[in-house]
Every structure is written in structure tokens, then in C-alpha cells.
Amino acid sequence: MYVELHSRSAFSFLEGASIPEELVAVCANLGMPAMALLDRDGVYGSPRFHLAAKKARIKAHIGAEVTVASGQWSVVRSSGPMPRLALRPFERHVGVEESSGLVLTTDHWPLATEFRLPLLVASRTGYQNLCRLITKMKLRAGHKEGAFASDLDFIEYADGLICLTGGEEGPLAAALKQGGPQAAFEAVKRLAEIFGRSNVGQSNVYVELQRHFRREEEYRNRVAIEIAEALRLPLLATNGVNYSTPRERELADAFTALRHHRTLATAGRLLAPNADRYLKSPAAMRTLFADFPNAIANTVELSSRLEFTLNDLGYEFPRYPVPEGETMMSFLRERTREGMQNRYGREDAELKKRARRQIERELSLIEKLKLAGYFLIVWDLVRFCREQKILAQGRGSAANSAVCYSLGITAVDPIGMELLFERFLSEERGEWPDIDLDLPSGDERERVIQYVYQRYGPRGAAMTANVITYRNRMAAREMGKALGFDPETLKRISAAVATWEFKDENDALDRRLRDAGLDLTHPRIRKYFELCLAAQDLPRHLGQHSGGMVICEGRLDSVVPLEPASMPGRVVVQWDKEDCADMGIIKVDLLGLGMMAALKDSLELIRNHYHEEVDLAHLPADDPVVYSTLQKADTVGMFQVESRAQMACLPRLRPQRFYDIVVQVAIIRPGPIVGNMVNPFLKRRQGREAVTYPHPSLETVLGRTLGVPLFQEQLLRMAMITANFTGGEAEELRRAMGFKRSEARMKPIEEKLRAGMTRNGICGETQEQIIQSITSFALYGFPESHAASFALIAYASAYLKCHYLAAFTAALLNNQPMGFYHPATIVKDAQRHGLKMLPMDVTRSDWKCSLETVASCQLSVASKGKGMQDVENLAVRLGLKYARGLREPAGQALVRERSLAPFASVQDLARRVPELRKDELTTLAEIGALNAVASGQWSVASTNQSEEFVGLSTAHGPLSTASFHRRDALWQVERAVRWPGPLLDELPEIDGESPLAAMTDEERLVADFRATGLTVGPHPMQYRRAEMKRMGIYRASDLAHLPNGRRLRIGGCVIARQRPGTAKGMMFMSLEDETGIANAIVAPDLLQKNRVLLISERFLMIEGILQNQDNVIHIRAEKVSPLRVTRAETASHDFH
Amino acid sequence: MFACIFIPDFSVQTIIRFEPELRACPVAVLTGRPPLKKVMALNERARQTGVEVGATKSQLEAWENLVLRTRSESQETSAHAALLDCAQSFSPEVEDTSPGTVLLNLAGLETLLGPLPKIAHDLAQRVSQLGLEANLAVAANPDAALLAARGFSGVTLIPAGREAERLGDLPVEVLLESFSSDVEEGARWVETFDRWGIRKLRALAALPELPVSERLGQQGLRLQRLARGAASRNLRVLEPRLIFAESVELEYPIVLLEPLAFLLNRMLEQVCARLRQRALAVQELHLNLEFATTRPDGCASFARTLTQTFTRTLPLPTPMLDAKVFLKLLQLDLQAHPPGAPIAKIHLSADPARPRVLQSGLFQPIFPEPEKLELTLARITGIVGEGRVGSVELLDTHREGAFAVRHFAPAEPEVKHEVKPSGKRKKDMFVPENDRVCELEEEKPEENAKENAQEKMSAVIALRLFRPPLGATVTLREAKPVRMRCREREDIAGEIVWTAGPWRSSGDWSEQEGWSREEWDIAVPAKSSCQLPVPSCQSDKRERTMELILYRLVQDKLSGNWFVEGTYD
């Protein structure tokens, strides 16, 4: 028998070429009882390795190769007599020269360069030591510096670890290369001193032998054997595995080239000499080491010594500090009671009674599961947010909990909404609850994260990692680099490889590479293609998860190694979110939600400019303007209800109360769409179909959704009612059918479900129907609680848009990117609603978009509808952040300097704000942001200059700047940036008038889109409307008045392309013109014929059949052609 | 007045020049290394079909009628030479501006060749006869003529004083393409002018000078002057190429090398004498032999029907001027590459260069004279063949024995101004891995003594390679060679009594010339050989002394063939 105890996976980033699961699968096939994974400087792949091994019934040994640098390791020469290593003469010729005869005069032998020390974990102490050792070396390293351990670190953390002498990158090989056999002897001796022996006298150092059929390796083995004999250390055969099968050697070579920033052609001897670092069978290894059977036998003996597995992680969630005399549970009860008073105090007695009963039930379960600490910690976070006036709202299944609601973690009343607690927490499941907090993205979220670090200590909390894996585009790019493709070709390949969510045979990688102009019949390109496929899903590097945080009682660095994140002040664990969950590490997701930030900014703007205080928790529940806007699908910018698909559903669903928004948020999801739940529900909603139930007993569960299951909670309740499942069993059913669907896991549960139903007399077709409806959307279904949390934010965003359009629009623009549309679309939508958008102006604009009071302004349509509130006429001034390439420090410096004194001229501006570079000033001039400054400069106004946006009231800047055009400013900038020196600095320009002609409309458009990505002037289509009319192109606003089935043409700027995985290859496009947005559906065959056109053209004309069903308007495209409107680089939000 | 000849799409036109039938076809010229060849130039017809520069070869599959050709630098060179020739036939002052662009001074030619329109017309016609379609422009200064030729198709005549008016319609891109040497810089200018709304030269010309100078500096002013057609400069006149050539037409054909050498000697002496007069030496020698044709009746004709030619070129590492050496070199070359037919005409030409001047140091070792060295190398090449003489350079690869042969050229001796006796010295270090000489390593002098002692103590076993490796037949047992027989050397055969290995290596899998091999070190009993203490098989630790020969046995894993690659000392 043989156990492979030295292997690397692809988690040794760019060194191994197989994922842990593959290694385990091959190991199981070869009949090995155990295996060890030693990735470079980490245990990144160990959870996946552990779980895969568990499934394959193999023992997974954990370890790591730790990098040691030159100068951080010294081998102290022993005082006693040194044994001379006498190599036999013939063996000498195959290796390096023997230096045993040399008399050394120094007491230290610094080892050559860096080397890797392979360490295996024997016990939990050993694991903790390994984690701390890695953490220490990682956190010690500077930014973008390599992390190295020193011999002192090993002395500190040696307990419980077993050390190998390594292969060609190990300490023995390094010493041998540097100082010959004697140095190698000293190096191993030093290891033996550091790692010592176990309590029963077994050595903790194994002298490793590897045989990859290389001469120099054999020489090293001979030296190693003699050292082992001299020091009485056991030998250990390993294969230094880098990949599971020989064919992966090619990928490993490509990774090597990438790691060294070379190509395969120039990497030379950095590449592997052969393909023998694969997982070999025990029989092959026995044959290979037939002359050293003890080296093979020792692998089994050492494997038996390695007691530790990741089952024994020793993780404990932190205890919350409570006042003297209190327990965590009593403290939680008290906080919940207070919260309940606050939440339900004013509710009716019946609801109060139900709430009290539910809360008591939840608290009992929390006590039983010893989760009080967890709830208190999340409560503490929410409390911190409240104190700091940071909007925070729990999302996900936590909204099912009345305790969470009472503690203020969530904002949805689970009792009032009859939400199912078991979806959140159950005794049977044996899993930690999952509480996610939505926070405003940006600084405020960062403050909360820093609070967690500060509260639990730098070693007590960390962000979860995000393992970046090779996907098509990255694989194509990197493998192209390895093969030495030129940058232009790589760029073309990257562009061609971008794929949509929906993939058909035309989206296969080979097809995409052909599109990029590569000839796949050429052997070299074929090899490239194979490499791209082989690299798929392999980890590339470690990133940081957007919000997942793990906290630990004691030291988190004893559970998993920590690393510095790229953002200062943050540390990240070596495992991703899924791995943490799999290892039973509890996490809190602190998710940054752009809309939360936009809401918070809106409230501030409302306070400062409307002089009103809006409380999101107490918005009017049934605002008619909000519902009428939703019914019209006039929802650009609103949270969760703005997408094209949502807009297509809103006029049919016609929301009339809050619960309708909950349904609306949940219904446009893959689950209901794939399960064909959407149309039946909408038909029933419109009264076109009778409401029926699969079984009368389900009426209470499905009543709210008209007999159609839409939420995960309904699935659980259906199982509970029809098959008498407990809450926990029902949740288990959901998970079995969920993301990691497994036949083996699902089968017994389904049998149980059927048996339960049969017992309750539900048989035959009804049973099948229920099972069908459960299974169809379990995979992608949305929890009702989560939908309700989102619906609250959706309602708030809709309310603010309808009533405070200026503030909401400014806040939206300040928190981009977010949502479905580009800022250009948001601006145009706001303008169509009557909002005045002011162009960027360095004399007025702040860094962010701001509100300004203007003389005459049309109020929003919504406000008009309400009776024309006579609030001050507010307009949105575009912020400096929208000037592309303008750095924030320069922008802020400009605003700061302006507050001291206005700028007298462009030259004055350039001199007083030296942070501004030439390109930044040019950009500002190009978009007209310097017009006002330039106008102050010339007393003699060139009044005959053409004006900007003549006759276009919505887009004008102040009239005073109108006679100065952008090129006047550009002319001035060009002079201002060339400082003539102190002598001539004050010399006025002799002939100051600019000789340049004003920009044409087209030039302004081009400049606006190039420098800001949007225009506050007229829509590009408006300039060409007469021409469009001649071409028979209808405006978007015309479509509502045309009969269904009519053949017509629409045209506009493509603002969104989408090819959802659930739409059978259909592509949905949104075309915008000056009147609104028109939607088109492109069938797969038409898409295939006009692929390049449809994907790359900015303006399109689409001819097809108008479909108007229940005010949902689409054009079913039959013919597409490009439309020449402008050269401006408008952008489309394409969902790849 | 100055004229400019500009050949648009020069790369394409040079190809069409040799394949006139392509004139009516869309043609794209490709460049780059296969399989990533890309379009670098197009003719107008190809542009009209929608093909773009930068498209890859497989992307062009959609264009059925598109003719693809690989760029030919030699054709471009000859086309350009023809263009220069044509220009020089009109004017003695010609500037070789860039490939496909030539400027010539027409001053004073009117009396000789007629009025300017006629000269322009004749010039255009002559270029057309060369198989090239040119734009031709005549203007009062060279840059205006150049701009007009690049901007306007056909023949353009700009009367003096109307340059700004005529050039005004040209886009600024033409100006920057013509006068901006740096592509990035050109793009920056285009961007600036685009921002200013300046698209035509007229607009640039109209800007006030002082503000332009304040904003764009002297370079901006220069561009403006060019845009106005007001820049004046002298032509960088192409000096007439000095031709050092001798030709002999023979009454009777020469068949043997000896009489040919006699004639060559005379010709070489003449050429060398002319070069010596001008203090020049020879950089390259060209020998062109024309063969006599045979009449159908079998009689050799020396009349004037000469068709076939034979050309040899001798590049020299340094300029030389020794007729005897040249003669010897030519003789050696002709011995290696015999003409193969009776010779009717001999044409010998030499490319001139400045002679080599070298001051040797008093304490520097004397290197062989380049002339002699080159002669020696030529002699060796004549014996062993081309590509087999030079400096061997090891390649960075695991491939056994991979090397490249570079032309041998001794490095110029390094002049050391100061010699420190205690300074570091460089020493070659021998690392047996892959039997290669590795990088030089600096070591302390005091360590050298120890190193030397160590070198003496350690015995390094050498491998003597058979070049080429000897094919062998090998019998295997349990995947190990047990018997071998060399097909080409009967003495290399026998039972294999000891093996070490296999040593595996493979590589270049991404290339077509991928390789994979297994090496075995084997011992075969010999009748008479040195006695070696040989370690026994791995399983048997005893040592015994036998008369054995050690070989390196190699199997090419791709072909399955066995070879004996060498023997160990």
C-alpha cells in the first residue's frame, strides 16, 4: 500500500493543474486510502479536498508548503564531528560536484534562494500552528511582496507538524545545490532539531525521495538516503504531484510560463522536463521504489500518524459580552422583549398574541441551539448602524424570524405576513442560520466592516475570500499569452469570447475563437483551444468577497490562515464563502447595496433642499402615485422593478398594494419562469383563469398567490401540510433539490414525501402535480421573506422617485454603477419626467451631482399629478465625478479652491489648482464645464458665436455662458497649460479671441459621450427625427397608440441587450429615443444571421410586428439594420 | 519646382506589378507569423468589399474573390529601386523619401524636357510603365508636392503661390501621416486638431501664428507652415551609387573553373584598384554568370541568345580589399556550388564600404586577420556544408543537445584600462546537468585555490557523443533493455549487464516539432576496454569489477526508434 503525501492542487495558484476534487477522484480510482494536499503557503483548497475525500471515503490529510527565503534560514554547524558522506564513484558523475572534502570556515550556511518546506498536520494543535504560521508570514509581508517564513517561525510553531525534506524545491535540494552534501546534511539536521520527535520517539522529519526519472534527482536521492542513515531519520517516498494525470502537464507548463511572465517558447528550462508529476498508482510507486520498500511502507505509517482532519476544526462562534448577572440568553430575551414592544406595541391584540407566541417559540429554539451569541452579535451590528445613522436592513431568510424583526435586524413583519420561520432556522438541519445585512455601498459599509474588526480584534474577524477562477475569457486571454499571441490578437479574442447568459452551439468556445479569426485546424491553435478548455474553472488567484465576514471566538487565525487584503486595514481568510459554510464557520454578510446608498443620499438631499424629513420606516403605505407609476411600468431607476422583464410584467400584474410588490419582485426569477408559474399567476390575477388548488388543504398556503406556488416558503409549507413534514424536514427537502442537487440525497426525501402524501390520502395525479410544482422551482425560487425585504426598498425607491425626482435622480447618479441602466438612460428618463438637468460647470458643480434652485422649472409629472406642490424649482447639476479621467483629488481641490475665490480665467484655474493635469482640463473644456470661466475672461464677448443647445430649454446652462463655447475654453486651456515662465506669466494675450469655430450639435454629442458617457442636451435621435420620420420610423411613445399586430419600424440607441438563460435563446433589446424606450425581441435565427450587427451597432432600426398585450409592448423583430445617427459612443448595458 | 511620386498601397502594388492579372481583383497583403497572419495592406477594390486592415487570414474566408498574398519585402525593394531609377532618369536631384515615395527637383528641366505639365505627364507615364499606379504632384516646394501627391490621386500641378489654396482641402491626417514619424505623436496631434474642430489643412493654415506658437510650440508652427504649403527645404539628394563592377563577354564558353579563375582574378584586381583609389573596401561581392544556350542542331551558340544566369553573393564579415583573398573565396564557393553549364558572360560587382580601421593594443592577443579567418571559414564550409560552421550557441531547453550555429565573428578585444591583481575574475563553471556550460560566475580569489583543489579531486565522467547517434536494435524485458545491437557498428552490441534509468524528458508539445525521449545508461561487456569499477544493479548492492563499456542508449518515444547516443569514458 502507498499513500501520496506530497501533492499540490490548482490552489497553489499557477503551480498545480488539477482541482482538489480531481485529485481525490483519481486517488480513489487508484485505490489509495488517504492522500495529503500541500498547497503553496496556504490551505486554500483544503475544504474542497476534505469534502471530496469524505464523499470518496478517503482520509484527507492537510498540510502546506511554506516558502522560506534566503537569509531567513541559517543552518548552525554542529560542534560535534560531522559524518562524511561518501558517495560511490559512479553516482557522482550524474550529480553536482561533491564538496565533502571542503573545510568550512564559517559557522553559518545561508541557503541558496527561496525554498519550500513541506509540512503535514498531525494534530489539531499542528493545524492551529500551521494556520498561525502562515498568517504570521502573510501579514508580515509588505504590499505586493512575497511572504516568507523564517526558521524562528518554525521553532515557534513546530508542535503538531511533521516536516518533509521536499523535492526539487525543498530545503534539502536547496542546500545541496548551494553547499553540496554536507550543507544538505546540516539543513536536514537543523530540521530534525526544530521538529524533533513525537512523544513515542517517532521522528517528525521524514527524508523525502522522489523519482521523476531525472539524473540529478537520483543524485539528490542518494545524498538524502545517506543523510537519513546518518541522522537515523525515516525515508518517505512521494511523487511531488502537480496534477492528477499526465495530460495535465501541458496546462502546468502553460501556468509555469504565465507565472514567470514568459511564453512557452521562451520559458526554456523553467518548464517541467517531463510529464511525471502525476498521481501514480501504489503499484507504480512500489515498482519505482522497489529498492527502498521502507520508503513506501513509511507513507502508510505516517498517514496513520496524521490524526487531524478538517472535521476537527475547533471553530467556535464568539460569545457576546453581557452585563454581570446576565446570560447571553437572558440578555437576548430582554432585547427581544424591548424590540417586540416597539414593533408590535401598537398592533391589535390578536397579532400581538401571535407574535408573542412565535417569539417564544423562536427563543426556545435559539436557546436549544445555543445561538443566542450569534443573534446578539448581529443585533450589536444593527445597533451600531442605527447609532451611526447608517441604513441597514436584514435580507434573506432572516426576515422569516420574529426575533430578528423585534431586534431590528429585519424590516418585514413575519407574523403579519405569515412567513415561515423554519426556512430560517430549524433544529433538524443542524446548520447555522444565515443573516445578511444590506448596507449602503461605499464608505458607510466600510465603517461597519471596520467596526467588526475593531470589536473582535484583527485576528478575530476577517472577510471571506472569493476564489477567481478561469472562465472562457480569462482562459482564452491567459493561454494566448502563454502561447505568445500578440496583444492585438488577445484583445480580439477577448472581445469575441464574451458570451451571454444563454448559450447555444454558436456560443461554444471553438466557435467564438473562430469568430476571432483563429484557424482551429492549425495544430498550434488547436493546442491553444485545448488549453483554454483545460483551464476552465481552475482557480487563478484569490480575491475578496464583497461582504462576507467571519468571526471567531478566540483567534480566527487558528482556524484558517489570514492574508492581507488589497484594501488597507482588511484581512481575508483563505477560504471562500461556500468553503466557510461547508466547514461550519458562521458568517455575516455585510452587503453593499447601491440602492441603500442612493436612498440614504436622497434623504439627505431632501432634508437640505426640500426641507422635509422623510422616514423610510414610516412612508405612506398605499401611495396612489407610486402604484399608478408601477402599473404603467414607468420604473427606470427603481430598485428591482426596473429591468426589461419586470417592466413587461408590471402592466399585467398591476400592483395595488405592498404584497403585490413582494410578488412582483419574486416572480421574475428563473424558478417561476422555468416552472411556468408566471403566466398562470398573471392570468388568474387578471381574472382570465379560475383560481384552483392542487389539493383543498393547500388553499391556506397558496391562497395569497392565487393557487400558484411562487415562494420557497410555500414549497416548505406544502410539504408540511400534504406529507406531514416537520419544518426542518421541509427545509432539508428544499436544500436537497436546491443548488447542489443530488440524486442520492433527493431520492429518500422524495420517497418520504410521497409516503406522507399517500398517508394523507393525496395520491395519483394530485400527488404528481404537487411534487412537480415543488421540484420545478426549488432550484431558483425566491424566499418570500427576501422578496418582502427587497419590496420594502423597491417601494421606498418608487416613492422617492415619484415625489422627490430631483433628489432621487441626483442620488442615483452619485451611486453608479448600479441597477439595470446606464446613467445616460437615467438622465434621459428624468428629463422626460420634467426634471431639469444642468451641465457640468466648474463654477457650480461639486464632485457629486447636486441640486440647484433654478428660476423656471417644470416640476415632475408626479408632482403635477399631486397638485403641483410649490416646492422650490430644483434642478440637478451634473457633478465633476462624471468627467472621465478626472481624478477625485483634483476635482476636490478644484471645489476647495473655488470656495475661496471664484476663478477669474482658465489660466487662473490652471494656476490655482495645480492638481489638474492637461488632459483633465481639456476634458472639462471639451464638455463645456469651463465655459463660465472662459466667459469671465473675455470682456469683449464674441456675441456672434453660436450658442449651445439653442432652443432646447431643458438642457441649457445659464444664459451668461451661452455665447462662449467649448472651443473657446479649449483654446484657453491649451495656452494655460503651457506655463511661459514667471516673466511672461502675467502678460495678457494680445489677441485673446479664439479663432476656433463652435462645436456643431454632432460634435457636442460626441464630446459629451466621450467625456461623460451621457448628455444633458437633447437625445441624439431628436436631431434626426425628421429624417427618421421620412424613413417611416415610429417614436417609442407612438407605439402605445398603435394596434396590435401592425408591422412597423422602430429605431433608436441600443441601451440594453439581454439573452437570459430562461428565454430559449431569444435576445431582448431596448432602444431609446427622445420619447422613451421601445423593446424588441430577436429570435435566435435572426440573431445568428445578424450577430455582429445586433451585438456591436449602437443605433439600430428594427422592423417587425407590434405586440401589445395588456399594455406590454414589444416589437417582434423580423429585420434589423444599422442606423447612422451619430458618432457619439453611446453605451449599452449588455448582460453577458 | 519639385515633383513627388507617391505610390498608394505600395505593398499591394508591388505584388500586382509582378502579377498584373490581379489588377482587377481585390487584393490583400498579409504579414505576420503563421498561424496569426494579418492583413497589412489592401487595394481599393478590396477596401470596397469591406475588408479591413488587421483582419486575420481565417476571417478573410468569407470573401471568396479576395486574393491573398504574403508581403514580399524583396519585391518592394526592387519596385522602389525602379522608382528611384525612373526619377533619376528625369532629374539629377532625387530624394529617396520613403518606400514608394520619391521627390525630385525639376528646376531647369523645362528647357530640356519641355513645360512642367509635360514633364509631369511623362513622369507619370514612365512610372505607369513600371507597373505602378502613382500619384504625382508638382509644387514649388518639396513638402507641398509630397502632401499633394499623398492627398490627390492622379497628376496634380500646383502653381507657385497657390499652395495653401490647393492643399486646403486635404484632411489634417494626410499632413500627420506625411510628417509625423511617431505614430503615437501623430495620433495626439489628430486628437488635438479634432477637438479644435480642425479637420482640413485650410483651417489649420488660417489659425493665427502667435497663438498657435503659444499653444502648440514650434512643432505646431511647422505643421501650420506645411499646411500652408509654405515650408521650404532642400532635398536630401540621393547620391549616385558608385558602381564597382566588371563584365566580360566570352568568345567561347568556359566550362572549367581554372580559366574562370584566371578571368575572375583580372576582374577582381580591376575592381580592387578602383576601390583603392577611392579609399574604399568591399563589403559584399556579387558574381553573375550567364550561360550559353545550345542550338537545336547541337552547336553551341555564342551569338547573343543568352538566357540562363547563375548568381553567387559573398557577404564579408568586415570590409576587405585583397583581390587574392576574394579570388580564393570565389573559387571555394564555386567549388561548393558549381555553375553546372558553360559560361558565356561574367559580371562581377562589389558593394563598397569604408575600410576597417583598428588599433590593436600592445598587450592584447592577436586575433587572426578577418580576411584569413573568413577564408578559413569558407574553406571549412566548403568541406562540411553550409550551416555547419560557426559559433555554437546552446538553446535554453530541456531538449538534449539543442543548439544553434551562429556565424563566427570574434568579439572585439575588451580594453581593460586598469588591471587589479586582487580583483575578481570570471571562471567557467561546469555543471554536469545537461552537459552544458553555464553562466559565468564571479568568485573570490581566495576561494579559487580551494576550487582548483576541489576540481583536481573530483573526477567528472565525460560522455563522448556519436554524431549522428547510431541506430540500435534493443531487446526489452520487463520494460528494461537487456540486449542491444548497433546496426551501424558491429562492435557495439551485447548483453546489457547493468542499467540506470530510464531518464525521461519531453517538451515543445505546443509546437509541431515536439519531442519525447527516454535515456538509459547501460553497461555492455567488452573484449578490450578499460576496467571500471561499476556499481551493480539497484537491487544488488555488491560491487564487482568487469570489463565493461558504458553507453547512453536513447529511445525516441514518438517514433519508437532506439539509438546509441554516446559512450562514457
Side-chain angles (χ1 to χ4, degrees), chain A residues 90 213 215 249-250 253 268-269 271 273-274 276 486 492 515 517 926 967 971 975 978 989 1003, chain B residues 38 56 58-59 195-197 199 214-215 396 398 436 498 502-506 509 519 521 552:
Chain A
F90 180 69
F213 305 104
R215 282 191 176 83
R249 176 263 180 113
E250 295 181 357
D253 272 358
R269 282 169 295 158
L271 303 179
N274 60 35
D276 269 278
D486 59 276
R492 204 172 51 239
D515 286 353
E926 198 182 6
R967 290 215 172 103
W971 186 249
R975 183 171 187 261
R978 282 177 180 254
E989 198 172 4
E1003 285 172 339
Chain B
K38 280 182 242 166
T56 65
S58 55
Q59 279 174 328
R195 277 210 190 89
W196 287 8
R199 312 254 149 63
E214 281 181 323
R215 284 160 178 83
D396 181 18
H398 289 295
R436 72 186 66 228
W498 176 89
W503 315 115
R504 283 181 192 156
S505 57
S506 58
W509 48 263
E519 294 170 11
D521 296 318
R552 178 181 283 184

Side-chain angles (χ1 to χ4, degrees), chain A residues 263 476-495 516-518 524-525 528, chain B residues 31-39 54-57 59:
Chain A
T263 67
R477 198 171 172 76
E478 296 242 305
M479 293 306 130
K481 263 190 209 166
L483 280 166
F485 290 1
D486 59 276
E488 199 188 315
T489 306
L490 289 176
K491 203 173 158 191
R492 204 172 51 239
I493 293 170
S494 293
L518 299 183
R524 195 150 167 265
I525 302 292
Y528 165 65
Chain B
T31 186
R33 188 179 154 215
L36 298 173
K37 280 190 165 186
K38 280 182 242 166
V39 173
T56 65
K57 200 175 173 186
Q59 279 174 328

Side-chain angles (χ1 to χ4, degrees), chain A residues 42-43 58 103 124 137 181 185 232 253 529 733 750 857 898 976 1001 1092 1119 1135:
Chain A
V43 292
I58 289 173
V103 179
R124 193 208 276 187
M137 64 185 266
F185 172 83
R232 307 174 94 185
D253 272 358
F529 173 60
L733 166 73
E750 193 181 321
C857 176
R898 185 184 70 202
D1001 293 339
V1092 176
K1119 194 178 162 191
F1135 293 83

Side-chain angles (χ1 to χ4, degrees), chain B residues 387-555:
Chain B
R388 294 180 176 179
V389 180
S391 307
V392 174
E393 191 178 282
L394 284 171
L395 298 177
D396 181 18
T397 168
H398 289 295
R399 189 173 205 150
E400 195 65 29
F403 66 92
V405 178
R406 314 272 182 229
H407 184 82
F408 179 75
E412 291 292 325
E414 218 175 275
V415 180
K416 286 186 181 175
H417 298 289
E418 196 180 347
V419 182
K420 288 182 183 173
S422 59
K424 293 176 180 179
R425 73 173 180 85
K426 291 190 170 185
K427 171 188 162 298
D428 284 358
M429 186 176 171
F430 185 76
V431 178
E433 180 191 346
N434 294 335
D435 299 338
R436 72 186 66 228
V437 177
C438 286
E439 60 201 27
L440 297 168
E441 195 171 273
E442 288 190 350
E443 292 189 7
K444 290 178 183 171
E446 58 266 28
E447 285 175 355
N448 292 337
K450 292 170 194 165
E451 276 296 326
N452 293 337
Q454 187 190 342
E455 274 171 21
K456 280 175 196 164
M457 287 171 66
S458 56
V460 176
I461 293 177
L463 172 69
R464 293 180 190 278
L465 292 173
F466 297 128
R467 300 231 188 242
L470 307 171
T473 309
V474 176
T475 310
L476 298 174
R477 190 178 302 144
E478 292 174 354
K480 274 189 173 182
V482 289
R483 185 174 181 77
M484 70 96 160
R485 185 173 61 79
C486 187
R487 289 192 291 274
E488 293 145 60
R489 292 261 303 267
E490 285 182 6
D491 57 319
I492 302 177
E495 294 289 331
I496 296 170
V497 296
W498 176 89
T499 60
W503 315 115
R504 283 181 192 156
S505 57
S506 58
D508 292 337
W509 48 263
S510 61
E511 305 294 330
Q512 279 171 310
E513 52 272 10
W515 53 275
S516 174
R517 56 189 252 143
E518 263 186 20
E519 294 170 11
W520 293 84
D521 296 318
I522 58 164
V524 177
K527 283 173 190 169
S528 61
S529 177
C530 60
Q531 282 198 343
L532 275 179
V534 175
S536 59
C537 298
Q538 289 171 348
S539 55
D540 181 5
K541 299 229 169 175
R542 288 171 303 154
E543 287 191 1
R544 59 182 188 270
T545 306
M546 296 174 68
E547 281 189 36
L548 296 173
I549 304 180
L550 300 175
Y551 292 107
R552 178 181 283 184
L553 194 59
V554 174
Q555 187 186 23

